[in-house]
Amino acid sequence: MAFSENEIERYARHIVMRDVGGPGQAKLKRARVLVIGAGGLGAPVLSYLAAAGVGHIGIVDDDAVSLSNLQRQVIHGTPDIGRPKTDSAADALARLNPHVTVIRHPVRLDAGNAADIIGQYDVVADGSDNFPTRYLVADACQAARKPLVMGALGQFDASLTTLRPFETGPDGAPNPSYRTLFPEPPPPGSVPTCEEAGVLGALPGVVGSLMAIEVVRAVVGFGEPLVGRLLIIDAFTMRFETIRY
């Protein structure tokens, strides 16, 4: 896939990398990535994927920008209050990289549309903030054989993993699924929402950036993904731990 002179300069720091290079950058340009949620996690995921040159980026979000979002959802600005998040995020990505095509899905993902929307993309990044959506996305990605990068936030804690249960590991056993990690959702109301408990504003930026790395890894193919591993971040004590599941 040919690059313009502008693109060669734009992606120069990727192209000189042995593990990305021109072939990896071409894979990014051809890739179609779906990001679920244009909020705290979606903001850095979307920004870094656009900056990296992912050719087609889909955004699923049915919410509008509110003032309380701006403490962490840095893809939006004060003038965007009241606008659909898909529109605000799309405008931000266009300013960042005009070579990227953004597809807006201003809907709530549900059992009626999940398979159709997810089926249009190569990789999915889930930054949703509720368990029903996470289980829905995980099941739909498993059925469609799509790699899924999933992040989750607490007040000062967060987690991140990559799911490829439709493939086998080095030992020949199937990779674990989301239901391997969390067989059942917690009882309703047992886990406070972000609105109820709050969240440290910069924490989504850390986790979302790591999610973007996992997405780029899934497209280009370098290093070791977080398949069968859960990265746990404790921002209160600044500790990072990885556990196998």
Side-chain angles (χ1 to χ4, degrees):
M1 179 174 290
F3 294 103
S4 66
E5 290 186 11
N6 181 284
E7 289 175 299
I8 292 172
E9 182 175 357
R10 179 183 290 271
Y11 307 130
R13 301 302 184 272
H14 269 174
I15 292 172
V16 298
M17 293 178 67
R18 182 184 64 184
D19 293 309
V20 180
Q25 194 62 50
K27 289 180 181 179
L28 289 169
K29 186 173 181 177
R30 291 193 297 267
R32 299 178 63 87
V33 176
L34 179 67
V35 179
I36 298 169
L41 292 174
V45 174
L46 289 163
S47 298
Y48 277 110
L49 293 184
V54 171
H56 292 78
I57 300 175
I59 310 173
V60 176
D61 202 308
D62 69 339
D63 200 6
V65 180
S66 66
L67 182 59
S68 64
N69 295 153
L70 304 186
Q71 165 254 14
R72 64 203 176 281
Q73 299 180 19
V74 294
I75 202 169
H76 312 294
T78 302
D80 296 313
I81 293 172
R83 297 183 67 201
K85 287 184 179 179
T86 49
D87 290 351
S88 174
D91 288 348
L93 299 190
R95 290 192 298 270
L96 180 61
N97 189 349
H99 300 287
V100 172
T101 298
V102 178
I103 303 97
R104 309 174 199 191
H105 301 280
V107 298
R108 178 172 291 274
L109 211 64
D110 58 31
N113 60 25
D116 178 62
I117 294 175
I118 288 171
Q120 301 173 42
Y121 296 89
D122 305 316
V123 183
V124 179
D126 183 9
S128 62
D129 61 357
N130 65 87
F131 284 99
T133 300
R134 290 173 192 162
Y135 279 90
L136 173 70
V137 171
D139 290 345
C141 286
Q142 182 171 352
R145 302 178 65 83
K146 307 289 185 178
L148 170 61
V149 178
M150 182 173 285
L153 296 169
Q155 289 180 315
F156 289 93
D157 60 283
S159 62
L160 169 67
T161 193
T162 294
L163 298 159
R164 304 178 76 110
F166 48 86
E167 297 175 346
T168 56
D171 61 356
N175 289 327
S177 68
Y178 186 63
R179 292 181 183 272
T180 305
L181 184 59
F182 300 112
E184 297 290 339
S190 62
V191 178
T193 65
C194 175
E195 183 177 1
E196 294 167 337
V199 60
L200 186 66
L203 181 59
V206 174
V207 183
S209 298
L210 293 171
M211 290 175 67
I213 291 175
E214 284 293 281
V215 171
V216 171
R217 186 197 314 280
V219 173
V220 176
F222 57 81
E224 182 183 356
L226 283 170
V227 175
R229 298 187 296 150
L230 182 69
L231 176 63
I232 300 173
I233 301 170
D234 181 352
F236 200 81
T237 60
M238 199 51 76
R239 295 177 185 272
F240 287 64
E241 181 180 4
T242 304
I243 62 172
R244 293 194 175 272
Y245 65 91

